[in-house]
């Protein structure tokens, strides 16, 4: 256990600089975006009202009220999120390959550690989980902050105030990152982490059998996804929704367990340094 | 410990923030405005079983779907995930069948493909692609819980591209299936045929196939035809008739949609004899989008068309027997707050009572609710949906009821 926590801490420390860069980019872009979009709205409102004599009501009818929705639907807000997602997907691969391709083959030392080798795998997976969830938590901090900035800039008559939950209800993309209920949160991120396990296992296939391993890893990935999605092709007309959910939960756990088990085998018996 | 500060801080902040967010949003619930049913007259028992489904929006952005009952309002986001997963509440009849006959009802989600009698439930489906389509008929004997199923090839299916089952009718061993068959179209337009297929469930054979009528959905003659069945599919229709409303639209030369209403007709098929009649609706129902309810009582089959007009809520009754408007039974509830631009009323009919929701043009009373005795035309209940109390300016919100169910 202690070894495992040490490994997680080690993996996170290795990424922390880049992680802070991602956080900084997100904060800067989203705050700047909020200021820009709010100011533009207020400027066009004062131009319309003071220079062209448009009434406030008429301006609202034409432009709509200013709300956090306009901010979240903008590239300022979604761009850094997409960047973070891309960076973490990339790191899901890099977290393994850096150990082989860095200056000194670090994986050699890792595998020699006096601990079960599966701990390395689990530590890397845990790090990815924590890094992803950390960015989700960052959004939960940032959205109220951005709402406050918007309230400073836009006068009350011109804006529609929305809470975080109301904002999530209004915007489908946000519902993927922050689902409406905790059960959905577990489902969405559970599926995400199952996929991380599958990808890790595919990487270990490649690391064990090299060229042939790419094929094996691909087959393994397709097989896993096929098992998980099978009910949608076979039983979709047969199962009631709640039963489908139960079946999918069990299959998801089976696929994740299978990945861990196969990886354990590959790490102890097959992996090449 | 000090060594692990990065790990510990990320873990604590992450779990704490996300946990706090979900606990807080589960406890506090949403903050959308409350709406309620307010009784204006009649017995409020009449709306005890009523569930109204609708949507509330502020500034086209902030809002959620909701359901309103006599107890109050509940927004969808406040429902548990499992409740949201199971949307059968919208179709109480389907829910009842799925609960009572769980095994037989698997995969059967469309009431138009089902018929129920005292002793049996029958289900009809069409599967396969053009040229190799077949009917699948499944029967459940309620008493001994025995299921039988058989498949029969669809005759002449080379010409059909798709077949929809519209209604199922059962009379002893005889099962009739009303379908709408889309015939493989040419470039000039598509033809649709309404068929009645007859099966004998004892011998498991197809005993009849009658084409009732065919119509063109194409645009060559610059008319578009739109055919629909009364109701919203929330009720079983093991009735004596299969009813379709046929609307013809004049289109522009390119065949564009939504040009102009030309004519609205009713097509009625007697399920016992396959006899088919077609008649034009009275003038008052021409040129508007209609909603229609069918009710059989004491051997009479009546069609009810609730409609908004400048005087109030008009209910036009048509007797299927003589295909005419029943002037004596048609009536208007005179109200001066009905919004004429809000589309047809939302309606339902059950146990001899008609439930009608109309949108108002008032600020804080948003919808009128009428419960009417079908036989006498008597108003059993009248109410309205109120809320907001001036907190939101009317130009900034949107409220409408789009469906209802009677539990």
């Amino acid at each position: 256990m202690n070894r495992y926590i040490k490994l997680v801490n080690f993996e996170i420390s290795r990424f922390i600089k880049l992680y802070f860069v991602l956080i900084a980019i997100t904060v800067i872009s989203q705050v700047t975006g909020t200021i820009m979009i709010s100011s533009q709205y207020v400027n066009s409102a004062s131009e319309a009202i003071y220079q062209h004599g448009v009434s406030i009501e008429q301006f609202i009818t034409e432009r709509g009220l200013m709300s956090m929705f306009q901010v979240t639907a903008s590239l300022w807000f979604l761009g850094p999120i997409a960047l973070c997602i891309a960076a973490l997907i990339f790191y899901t691969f890099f977290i393994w390959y850096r150990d082989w391709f860095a200056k000194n083959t670090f994986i050699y030392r890792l595998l020699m550690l006096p601990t079960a080798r599966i701990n390395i795998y689990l530590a890397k997976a845990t790090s990815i989980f924590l890094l992803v969830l950390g960015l989700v938590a960052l959004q939960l901090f940032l959205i109220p902050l951005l709402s406050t900035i918007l309230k400073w800039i836009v006068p009350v008559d011109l804006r529609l105030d929305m809470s975080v939950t109301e904002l999530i209800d209004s915007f489908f993309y946000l519902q993927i990152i922050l689902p409406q209920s905790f059960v959905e949160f577990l489902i969405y991120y559970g599926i995400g982490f199952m996929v991380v396990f599958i990808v890790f296992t595919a990487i270990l296939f490649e690391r064990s059998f090299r060229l042939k391993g790419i094929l094996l890893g691909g087959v393994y990935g397709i097989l896993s996804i096929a098992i998980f999605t099978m009910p949608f092709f076979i039983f979709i007309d047969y199962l009631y929704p709640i039963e489908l959910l139960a079946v999918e939960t069990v299959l998801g756990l089976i696929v994740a367990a299978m990945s861990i088990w196969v990886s354990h085998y590959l790490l102890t018996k097959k992996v090449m340094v | 410990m000090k060594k692990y500060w990065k790990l510990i801080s990320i873990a604590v902040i992450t779990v704490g923030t996300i946990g706090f967010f979900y606990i807080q949003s589960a406890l506090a619930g949403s903050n959308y405005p409350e709406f309620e049913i307010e009784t204006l007259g009649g017995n409020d028992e009449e709306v005890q079983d009523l569930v109204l489904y609708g949507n509330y929006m502020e500034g086209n952005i902030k809002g959620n779907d909701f359901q309103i009952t006599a107890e109050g309002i509940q927004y969808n986001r406040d429902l548990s995930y499992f409740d949201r997963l199971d949307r059968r509440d919208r179709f109480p009849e389907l829910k009842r069948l799925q609960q009572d006959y769980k095994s037989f009802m698997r995969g059967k989600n469309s009431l138009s493909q089902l018929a129920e009698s005292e002793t049996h439930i029958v289900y009809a489906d069409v599967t396969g692609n053009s040229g190799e389509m077949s009917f699948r008929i499944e029967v459940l004997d309620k008493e001994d819980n025995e299921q039988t199923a058989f498949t029969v090839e669809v005759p002449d299916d080379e010409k059909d591209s798709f077949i929809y089952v519209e209604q199922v009718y059962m009379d002893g061993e005889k099962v009739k299936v009303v379908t709408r068959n889309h015939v493989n179209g040419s470039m000039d337009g598509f033809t649709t045929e309404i068929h009645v297929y007859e099966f004998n469930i004892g011998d498991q054979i197809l005993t009849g196939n009658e084409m009732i009528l065919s119509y063109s959905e194409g645009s060559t003659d610059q008319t578009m035809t739109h055919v629909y069945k009364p109701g919203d599919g929330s009720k079983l229709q093991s009735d004596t008739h299969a009813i379709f409303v046929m609307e013809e639209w004049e289109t522009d030369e390119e065949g564009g949609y939504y040009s102009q209403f030309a004519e609205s007709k009713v097509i009625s098929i007697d399920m016992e004899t396959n006899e088919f009649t077609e008649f034009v609706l009275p003038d008052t129902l021409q040129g508007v989008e209609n909603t229609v309810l069918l009710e059989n009582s004491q051997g009479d089959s009546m069609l009810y068309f609730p409609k908004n007009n400048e005087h109030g809520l008009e209910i036009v009754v048509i007797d299927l027997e003589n295909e005419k408007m029943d002037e004596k039974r048609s009536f208007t509830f005179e109200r001066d707050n009905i919004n004429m631009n809000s589309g047809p009323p939302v309606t339902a009919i059950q146990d001899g009572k008609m439930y009608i929701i109309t949108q108002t043009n008032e600020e804080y009373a948003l919808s009128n609710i009428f419960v009417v005795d079908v036989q006498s035309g008597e108003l059993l209940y009248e109410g309205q949906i109120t809320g907001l109390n001036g907190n939101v300016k009317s130009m900034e919100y949107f409220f409408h009821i789009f469906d209802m169910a009677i539990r």
Side-chain angles (χ1 to χ4, degrees):
Chain A
M1 194 63 197
N2 203 15
R3 285 279 174 195
Y4 160 76
I5 290 171
K6 256 185 193 155
L7 281 166
V8 176
N9 190 55
F10 169 71
E11 289 292 352
I12 288 192
S13 308
R14 287 165 106 193
F15 190 67
I16 202 85
K17 276 187 198 138
L18 201 56
Y19 197 56
F20 282 139
V21 172
L22 286 175
I23 290 174
I25 291 174
T26 306
V27 173
I28 293 168
S29 172
Q30 294 189 345
V31 169
T32 314
T34 309
I35 296 171
M36 296 279 284
I37 296 166
S38 304
S39 317
Q40 273 167 13
Y41 181 89
V42 172
N43 288 345
S44 67
S46 54
E47 194 182 301
I49 292 161
Y50 296 117
Q51 289 179 22
H52 303 294
V54 177
S55 71
I56 291 184
E57 283 75 19
Q58 206 180 335
F59 179 79
I60 293 171
T61 314
E62 275 168 26
R63 280 287 302 268
L65 290 162
M66 178 66 197
S67 68
M68 274 299 288
F69 178 80
Q70 280 94 318
V71 174
T72 51
S74 73
L75 198 61
W76 290 104
F77 185 88
L78 293 175
I81 292 179
L83 179 76
C84 290
I85 292 171
L88 282 168
I89 289 174
F90 174 75
Y91 196 66
T92 306
F93 290 88
F94 191 67
I95 200 171
W96 286 101
Y97 285 105
R98 70 186 294 175
D99 289 339
W100 267 275
F101 297 117
K103 269 184 208 148
N104 8 337
T105 38
F106 192 76
I107 191 72
Y108 185 73
R109 281 161 66 189
L110 272 183
L111 293 174
M112 290 313 249
L113 286 175
T115 173
R117 287 180 174 180
I118 195 67
N119 275 346
I120 301 167
Y121 175 95
L122 292 175
K124 286 182 191 294
T126 311
S127 312
I128 300 280
F129 300 175
L130 278 176
L131 294 169
V132 169
L133 295 180
L135 291 174
V136 173
L138 173 70
Q139 285 306 320
L140 281 175
F141 271 114
L142 270 177
I143 291 171
L145 176 77
L146 302 178
S147 301
T148 313
I149 296 174
L150 186 143
K151 281 181 198 168
W152 285 339
I153 300 173
V154 184
V156 67
D157 290 343
L158 290 176
R159 64 171 201 250
L160 180 69
D161 291 338
M162 293 168 90
S163 68
V164 179
T165 49
E166 286 164 354
L167 196 58
I168 292 169
D169 293 346
S170 74
F171 195 33
F172 178 69
Y173 285 173
L174 269 182
Q175 285 169 29
I176 301 172
I177 302 168
L178 284 165
Q180 288 183 311
S181 67
F182 188 62
V183 176
E184 283 157 290
F185 180 86
L186 293 180
I187 293 170
Y188 290 15
Y189 284 94
I191 292 171
F193 295 150
M194 179 193 77
V195 172
V196 169
F197 282 133
I198 296 171
V199 171
F200 274 15
T201 307
I203 291 169
L204 287 178
F205 267 112
E206 192 278 329
R207 287 288 87 194
S208 299
F209 304 105
R210 302 295 150 103
L211 267 180
K212 214 167 55 180
I214 298 180
L215 189 72
L216 285 171
V219 169
Y220 179 81
I222 292 167
L223 182 75
S224 303
I225 299 297
I227 293 173
F228 184 68
T229 54
M230 177 185 64
F232 290 96
F233 298 108
I234 303 175
F235 296 130
I236 190 71
D237 287 341
Y238 187 73
L239 294 177
Y240 289 114
I242 195 88
E243 297 169 339
L244 187 64
L245 180 69
V247 170
E248 280 302 317
T249 308
V250 171
L251 285 180
L253 291 173
I254 287 174
V255 169
M258 182 175 81
S259 293
I260 294 171
W261 186 76
V262 170
S263 298
H264 174 71
Y265 171 77
L266 292 173
L267 273 170
T268 45
K269 299 273 159 65
K270 295 287 178 200
V271 77
M272 287 196 243
V273 181
Chain B
M1 271 319 252
K2 225 173 163 186
K3 270 192 335 198
Y4 299 141
W5 72 269
K6 286 168 198 151
L7 171 63
I8 291 168
S9 49
I10 290 184
V12 168
I13 293 173
T14 300
V15 174
T17 311
I18 294 172
F20 176 78
F21 172 72
Y22 280 109
I23 290 169
Q24 187 259 343
S25 67
L27 291 181
S30 65
N31 211 10
Y32 298 116
E34 301 277 319
F35 297 94
E36 58 181 9
I37 296 176
E38 191 183 305
T39 301
L40 295 177
N43 184 353
D44 59 12
E45 290 277 296
E46 301 291 350
V47 291
Q48 283 306 313
D49 295 333
L50 193 63
V51 191
L52 305 175
Y53 298 93
N55 175 268
Y56 173 78
M57 274 288 156
E58 263 171 61
N60 286 326
I61 289 168
K62 172 173 146 181
N64 204 219
D65 285 355
F66 58 72
Q67 56 193 65
I68 296 177
T69 62
E71 286 95 54
I73 188 166
Q74 190 166 35
Y75 282 92
N76 274 12
R77 86 115 48 230
D78 297 329
L79 295 170
S80 77
Y81 174 69
F82 300 103
D83 285 341
R84 269 185 281 140
L85 197 62
D86 183 6
R87 299 310 294 143
R88 289 177 303 174
D89 285 347
R90 287 277 285 278
F91 303 101
E93 198 137 31
L94 185 66
K95 189 173 185 177
R96 173 182 63 81
L97 289 172
Q98 290 189 342
Q99 277 169 350
D100 293 355
Y101 310 102
K102 192 170 176 183
S103 157
F104 178 76
M105 286 300 292
R106 283 187 180 280
K108 300 178 177 65
N109 290 311
S110 164
L111 284 169
S112 66
Q113 291 176 270
L114 287 155
E116 186 186 22
S117 71
E118 293 283 307
T119 52
H120 290 82
I121 299 175
V122 61
Y123 171 81
D125 193 20
V126 177
T127 54
N129 296 319
S130 185
E132 43 195 47
M133 284 193 270
S134 53
F135 287 106
R136 179 172 176 81
I137 309 289
E138 294 181 38
V139 185
L140 174 75
D141 187 324
K142 286 182 180 178
E143 270 143 41
D144 53 19
N145 209 15
E146 199 168 303
Q147 298 180 25
T148 47
F150 60 97
T151 49
V152 181
E153 274 177 41
V154 176
D156 306 324
D157 60 343
E158 302 81 22
K159 64 179 177 54
D160 297 321
S161 59
F162 205 86
I163 298 181
Y164 296 97
V165 174
E166 293 283 355
Q167 188 163 334
V168 180
Y169 167 85
M170 180 166 44
D171 181 17
E173 293 254 290
K174 194 167 71 178
V175 167
K176 288 185 179 184
V177 179
V178 182
T179 63
R180 215 186 317 188
N181 301 12
H182 288 259
V183 178
N184 284 325
S186 65
M187 291 302 283
D188 305 332
F190 298 92
T191 306
T192 300
E193 298 174 350
I194 293 177
H195 281 248
V196 177
Y197 294 93
E198 190 178 325
F199 300 87
N200 184 297
I201 49 175
D203 301 337
Q204 307 200 336
I205 49 165
L206 178 74
T207 52
N209 168 19
E210 196 171 335
M211 186 182 84
I212 305 297
L213 87 157
S214 101
Y215 59 91
S216 167
E217 285 179 285
S219 53
T220 41
D221 50 357
Q222 281 164 35
T223 54
M224 281 279 309
T225 313
H226 175 215
V227 172
Y228 61 90
K229 294 206 67 185
D232 59 358
S234 67
K235 286 188 74 182
L236 276 173
Q237 302 210 344
S238 53
D239 299 309
T240 53
H241 293 81
I243 304 291
F244 293 90
V245 177
M246 183 188 254
E247 284 168 357
E248 282 174 359
W249 301 64
E250 275 171 25
T251 59
D252 54 26
E253 304 217 339
E254 284 89 44
Y257 290 77
Y258 305 113
S259 309
Q260 194 144 31
F261 269 114
E263 195 166 53
S264 299
K265 286 187 252 181
V266 166
I267 294 157
S268 156
I269 304 165
D270 187 314
M271 290 309 297
E272 212 156 304
T273 61
N274 290 5
E275 226 167 82
F276 140 75
T277 53
E278 179 181 323
F279 57 92
V280 177
L281 286 173
D283 289 346
T284 174
L285 296 172
Q286 295 292 341
V288 290
E289 198 182 335
N290 282 306
T291 172
V292 53
L293 299 163
L294 168 68
E295 174 83 348
N296 302 303
S297 54
Q298 299 164 9
D300 291 338
S301 292
M302 295 284 180
L303 289 178
Y304 297 85
F305 290 82
K307 182 195 167 204
N308 298 328
N309 70 23
E310 56 270 31
H311 306 297
L313 173 71
E314 182 182 3
I315 295 168
V316 178
V317 185
I318 289 175
D319 190 338
L320 272 182
E321 203 64 40
N322 59 24
E323 302 165 9
K324 286 214 170 56
M325 179 169 164
D326 190 331
E327 303 272 357
K328 266 183 243 153
R329 292 174 65 175
S330 301
F331 51 91
T332 300
F333 295 120
E334 290 188 10
R335 299 290 180 275
D336 54 11
N337 66 350
I338 288 178
N339 184 346
M340 288 285 292
N341 301 318
S342 62
V346 176
T347 57
I349 198 161
Q350 180 145 317
D351 302 331
K353 288 171 195 166
M354 200 160 20
Y355 300 79
I356 304 163
I357 314 292
T358 60
Q359 197 92 1
T360 73
N361 53 19
E362 285 181 60
E363 284 276 298
Y364 308 119
L366 301 143
S367 291
N368 293 322
I369 304 169
F370 300 95
V371 182
V372 184
D373 184 291
V374 168
Q375 279 300 311
S376 63
E378 188 196 339
L379 186 58
L380 301 171
Y381 173 88
E382 183 172 5
Q384 59 187 19
I385 297 172
T386 57
L388 294 181
N389 301 320
N391 293 329
V392 182
K393 288 179 224 148
S394 66
M395 58 180 287
E396 290 162 11
Y397 75 84
F398 171 79
F399 171 97
H400 87 134
I401 303 284
F402 53 72
D403 197 9
M404 74 171 110
I406 297 137
R407 285 183 290 199

